Amino acid sequence: GDEFLWPFDQLELGIEFRKAVVDTRIDVLRPTLYSNRHGGASEDFLRGKRSLEEVQRRGRWRSAASVRRYTKEARLLSELQRIDPPVLAYGK
């Protein structure tokens, strides 16, 4: 049939995502829907939730070299420092 998995389209998703970014005061990071893919990979690997191989499989990256750039702890930590401490605490 013509049924969709979600009751909204990509445009609506983008609008709501942007509202959530502003509401949670993380707009200083300028996140995008696509950046969530990379952020999730970094988070999973650096917190020990998944191995590099598991991150690669989950993100459907073809090569391990494509995934390695998301293992850079210094980059993630510098981004986290840009978030207001109460917002960061809430996110944990």
Side-chain angles (χ1 to χ4, degrees), residues 47 64 70 78:
R47 293 201 183 263
Y70 306 118
S78 72

Side-chain angles (χ1 to χ4, degrees), residues 24-26 29 43 47 76-77 79-92:
T24 57
R25 301 188 323 243
I26 61 168
L29 300 176
E43 175 80 12
R47 293 201 183 263
L76 178 62
L77 293 175
E79 289 294 300
L80 289 174
Q81 289 176 350
R82 297 173 62 199
I83 301 172
D84 289 335
V87 174
L88 190 58
Y90 180 77
K92 289 181 179 182

Side-chain angles (χ1 to χ4, degrees), residues 10-78:
Q10 186 174 355
L11 179 62
E12 291 172 281
L13 175 61
I15 291 168
E16 293 303 317
F17 177 80
R18 187 70 194 141
K19 285 181 191 176
V21 164
V22 171
D23 289 348
T24 57
R25 301 188 323 243
I26 61 168
D27 47 323
V28 296
L29 300 176
R30 298 189 333 240
T32 63
L33 287 169
Y34 188 70
S35 67
N36 287 323
R37 179 178 192 226
H38 303 286
S42 295
E43 175 80 12
D44 284 354
F45 181 76
L46 295 174
R47 293 201 183 263
K49 293 179 182 178
R50 290 184 173 79
S51 69
L52 192 61
E53 186 177 287
E54 290 168 323
V55 169
Q56 180 180 346
R57 224 180 5 260
R58 183 172 189 241
R60 290 179 262 136
W61 282 283
R62 289 186 185 182
S63 76
S66 297
V67 179
R68 278 192 206 103
R69 66 178 164 220
Y70 306 118
T71 64
K72 297 179 181 172
E73 185 174 5
R75 169 68 193 244
L76 178 62
L77 293 175
S78 72

